[in-house]
Amino acid sequence: TMEENIKLLSEAKKLGFTRIFTSLHIPEANYEILKKEVNEFFNIAKGYEMDIISDISPNTFKFLELENMDLQGLMKLGVKTIRLDFGYTEYEIAKMSKNTYGIKIQLNASTITKEFFEKLEFSAYLLNTTNCFSLRIENAVPWKESVQTYSAFRRRFRNLSGSDSRCQDEGV
């Protein structure tokens, strides 16, 4: 329930947590309720000065009544990092990395393929390494495959940007 989530958020703040993760692309959700709760919950998180990391898809922008890829709208809600699971082309991902709102882009390791890297590499001239990509290793991905995907990602990113020193590793 919303009350339980607010209580957990308060407890997390007391324990020193500074970041929270949520999903804004839950297909089975009642979007009218979710929209109201997201606004309330994110306002509380912003009041606690917590960074909000959120899964998004094109549907996220629809239910929040924002234009697709309106990162300024997400920034105003308090979102600092978006994680892209599906629904965006490599070109769109590269374009979002050029945002001027400081929103970081995360990629889900379970969605990355060799073809993805090749297409992203083709779109590389658009990449903004200030909003560099981080790779979130998911528990659902077997460890061996996660490490191999992560290693390939790091090699590719170095090739794209010439350096990966500004990227942070994100592990679960």
Side-chain angles (χ1 to χ4, degrees):
T1 68
M2 183 63 170
E3 293 78 23
E4 291 170 325
N5 287 335
I6 291 171
K7 183 179 177 189
L8 287 171
L9 186 63
S10 176
E11 290 174 18
K13 175 64 178 171
K14 289 176 189 170
L15 291 171
F17 286 85
T18 59
R19 297 187 302 170
I20 60 170
F21 177 82
T22 188
S23 180
L24 292 178
H25 74 90
I26 306 168
E28 66 277 7
N30 178 327
Y31 288 114
E32 287 303 313
I33 293 171
L34 185 59
K35 181 181 175 188
K36 179 182 178 283
E37 289 181 350
V38 161
N39 284 312
E40 182 181 347
F41 190 76
F42 283 11
N43 279 331
I44 294 168
K46 284 192 306 186
Y48 289 158
E49 298 179 356
M50 296 178 113
D51 291 347
I52 301 167
I53 304 166
S54 184
D55 273 344
I56 68 162
S57 70
N59 194 46
T60 299
F61 294 98
K62 289 178 190 170
F63 92 79
L64 291 174
E65 298 176 1
L66 300 170
E67 293 294 320
N68 189 30
M69 296 177 24
D70 177 4
L71 300 186
Q72 181 180 19
L74 290 179
M75 184 262 316
K76 287 179 180 178
L77 286 171
V79 175
K80 303 275 181 147
T81 302
I82 55 175
R83 187 183 75 162
L84 309 172
D85 279 334
F86 65 91
Y88 291 104
T89 66
E90 292 78 3
Y91 176 84
E92 290 170 322
I93 292 168
K95 186 175 177 182
M96 283 189 274
S97 79
K98 303 270 298 177
N99 79 80
T100 58
Y101 310 109
I103 292 182
K104 303 265 188 255
I105 310 294
Q106 284 186 346
L107 304 173
N108 186 339
S110 67
T111 65
I112 296 175
T113 64
K114 180 181 178 187
E115 292 78 22
F116 169 86
F117 281 128
E118 290 168 356
K119 290 178 183 175
L120 187 62
E121 196 165 27
F122 181 74
S123 301
Y125 68 93
L126 294 171
L127 294 176
N128 176 351
T129 57
T130 301
N131 295 331
C132 67
F133 300 108
S134 62
L135 189 66
R136 188 171 179 84
I137 307 298
E138 295 302 311
N139 291 335
V141 179
W143 178 246
K144 182 178 177 185
E145 286 80 4
S146 294
V147 172
Q148 290 170 351
T149 303
Y150 179 73
S151 296
F153 176 83
R154 298 300 280 189
R155 280 193 306 278
R156 286 289 190 172
F157 188 80
R158 274 189 213 101
N159 290 340
L160 296 176
S161 68
S163 170
D164 67 349
S165 61
R166 289 179 283 181
C167 284
Q168 294 179 330
D169 298 339
E170 297 287 337
V172 174

